[in-house]
Amino acid sequence: MLYAARTIMPLCIVSVASEMGWDKTESGTVLSAFFWGYTMTQFLGGYLSDRVGGDVVLPIAACMWSLITFWTPQFAYLSTDKHTSLYIIVLSRVCLGICQGFHYPGLTSIISRKVLEHQRSFTYSIVSSGSYVGTLFTGGMGSIMLDHYSWPVPFYIIGLCGITWMLVMRYMLIARHREKLVLASLGEAPLIDSSKVKPEPKSAVPWVTLFTKPAFWSLLVGHFCENNAFYILLSWMPTYFHENFPTAKGWVFNVVPWVVTIPSTIGGGWLADKMITKGYTVTFVRKLMETVALCGTAFFLFVISYASSYLSCLICMALAVACCGFHNSGILVNPQDIAPKHAGAVFGIMNMAGAVPGFVGVYIAGHILETTKSWNAVFSQTAVVCMFGWAVFIVFGTGKKIV
């Protein structure tokens, strides 16, 4: 639901811009506004989740971004003036990013405290695969609703779905808490073995120590470079196929890459946990997963520059996106390895750096297209950035606890 709400505006932007009279620059401002807000609350979300619990932070944030999604059409109609309505929508997109910024740091904090080390990769991969399911849901069902109804309908439906999910999640968390209280009152053992998963005492985040560790910086650099590739593919892939293969069906190239990414994400998590269970070091496993993610993405971006047929380009693009799925078992879960007591806060800083390509990398890709008219230039520079991030993480990354 998080990604369904996040990607509904890119799906509807053409219809919204047509009705509101926006040009491409104004449409781009609306789309990029989300990431300005998204960068603001990454650290705060991790810090609050580590202090009060992600199970408290997540439902509150979900309630807010679901309501913003639901109300977006109403925001657009608050004013009849074109520029005023544009400013209101941009502000709502910033607020949407602010609220969604709490999610992943809170999720990371929960997993680091409740899930055993050799089960974290698979758990995180299962949960993270929901981002691709949400993208598929918006691209599939959202496109159908957009074709048969006006553009506000997808916002209303997905907003209501988000609210429903939030209420169900909150109900299950409360039910789980009551179950523990009942078991405790009856003198029975808790369902989770406390000898294996012990609550960590709250303590201040040792930022000075973290900022002097090369492993921490390699985390930021690697995540920035991977997200740069992911956001460029997410934002520009439809335009690439539309310009190079105008007769191709949109539902194919908007769906196929995300379909193949779900099994790669889950499979990468299963493989990572399996290798750790078999005795491989966490450091080796994290670097192996990130090698597949960054080197694989770079390789297929280089190859697509020499592909000419629609099928070969679609396969290369799908495999490039699929390789991104292994990132969930590499760097994305690494904050739980190096700082288990402060995983939420560390993830927040890391994801703040990873959100920057959302408005910088995507803009630069557009500028390159505008000046060179070359998709090969875009893919090549993206691949080079991936290889740089891989080299930094391979040399300085670690799976050992540093704080």
Side-chain angles (χ1 to χ4, degrees):
M1 294 319 308
L2 186 87
Y3 262 76
R6 182 182 302 187
T7 55
I8 187 63
M9 181 59 81
L11 175 74
C12 299
I13 190 64
V14 175
S15 299
V16 179
S18 176
E19 181 175 330
M20 298 296 170
W22 299 340
D23 57 27
K24 289 186 177 180
T25 301
E26 292 167 332
S27 298
T29 302
V30 171
L31 292 176
S32 62
F34 170 87
F35 293 99
W36 289 102
Y38 194 61
T39 58
M40 295 180 186
T41 50
Q42 295 294 322
F43 168 71
L44 179 61
Y47 176 79
L48 289 177
S49 298
D50 286 340
R51 302 293 292 182
V52 304
D55 54 337
V56 176
V57 174
L58 256 62
I60 296 175
C63 179
M64 297 305 297
W65 56 254
S66 296
L67 289 174
I68 291 173
T69 302
F70 182 82
W71 285 332
T72 296
Q74 299 304 314
F75 294 149
Y77 296 132
L78 282 178
S79 174
T80 56
D81 180 70
K82 167 189 170 181
H83 296 289
T84 302
S85 63
L86 175 64
Y87 297 148
I88 294 173
I89 289 296
V90 167
L91 179 60
S92 72
R93 291 285 294 170
V94 172
C95 292
L96 180 68
I98 288 174
C99 295
Q100 290 208 347
F102 287 95
H103 184 88
Y104 273 105
L107 176 66
T108 301
S109 180
I110 291 177
I111 292 177
S112 67
R113 293 172 179 271
K114 303 296 184 182
V115 182
L116 301 177
E117 182 181 71
H118 65 277
Q119 298 173 343
R120 288 175 184 168
S121 299
F122 185 62
T123 302
Y124 207 99
S125 296
I126 287 288
V127 176
S128 296
S129 66
S131 63
Y132 309 114
V133 176
T135 304
L136 284 172
F137 177 75
T138 298
M141 296 301 297
S143 297
I144 295 174
M145 289 185 284
L146 189 61
D147 289 340
H148 290 81
Y149 306 99
S150 59
W151 66 265
V153 174
F155 283 92
Y156 293 141
I157 298 298
I158 292 177
L160 286 174
C161 288
I163 295 171
T164 302
W165 166 76
M166 181 274 296
L167 293 175
V168 172
M169 176 183 63
R170 191 59 186 160
Y171 171 79
M172 295 181 69
L173 288 171
I174 294 175
R176 175 64 173 165
H177 179 66
R178 289 176 178 173
E179 180 183 0
K180 288 182 179 180
L181 292 179
V182 171
L183 289 174
S185 65
L186 296 176
E188 298 180 13
L191 296 180
I192 298 179
D193 189 348
S194 60
S195 65
K196 296 181 179 179
V197 183
K198 296 181 180 179
E200 300 286 354
K202 296 180 175 65
S203 58
V205 182
W207 291 116
V208 175
T209 303
L210 271 174
F211 281 109
T212 59
K213 299 292 184 180
F216 173 74
W217 287 103
S218 71
L219 203 67
L220 268 60
V221 172
H223 191 55
F224 176 94
C225 294
E226 196 281 337
N227 271 17
N228 179 69
F230 179 79
Y231 287 136
I232 287 176
L233 292 174
L234 180 68
S235 302
W236 291 107
M237 183 167 55
T239 305
Y240 167 77
F241 281 105
H242 177 73
E243 290 186 357
N244 291 276
F245 307 99
T247 60
K249 296 182 179 179
W251 66 267
V252 176
F253 57 74
N254 282 328
V255 169
V256 171
W258 309 110
V259 169
V260 300
T261 305
I262 296 174
S264 75
T265 301
I266 298 175
W270 176 84
L271 178 61
D273 283 343
K274 195 72 173 179
M275 293 179 68
I276 293 174
T277 303
K278 291 291 184 180
Y280 290 92
T281 64
V282 176
T283 299
F284 174 79
V285 172
R286 298 292 179 246
K287 290 183 177 181
L288 176 63
M289 295 296 109
E290 206 56 41
T291 297
V292 176
L294 289 170
C295 292
T297 301
F299 173 76
F300 289 111
L301 287 177
F302 275 126
V303 171
I304 201 173
S305 300
Y306 301 96
S308 56
S309 68
Y310 169 66
L311 180 60
S312 59
C313 289
L314 180 62
I315 292 174
C316 287
M317 193 68 76
L319 291 176
V321 177
C323 287
C324 293
F326 286 87
H327 181 69
N328 296 294
S329 309
I331 285 179
L332 208 62
V333 76
N334 198 224
Q336 302 170 33
D337 304 321
I338 67 173
K341 294 182 182 179
H342 315 287
V346 173
F347 184 93
I349 293 293
M350 183 186 76
N351 217 31
M352 185 186 299
V356 173
F359 49 86
V360 175
V362 173
Y363 171 80
I364 292 176
H367 181 70
I368 292 174
L369 284 174
E370 187 69 26
T371 55
T372 67
K373 311 297 181 182
S374 172
W375 284 99
N376 292 348
V378 173
F379 294 144
S380 296
Q381 68 89 17
T382 304
V384 169
V385 172
C386 285
M387 294 306 299
F388 174 76
W390 169 77
V392 171
F393 187 71
I394 286 296
V395 174
F396 299 108
T398 184
K400 297 179 180 179
K401 178 181 176 181
I402 61 176
V403 293

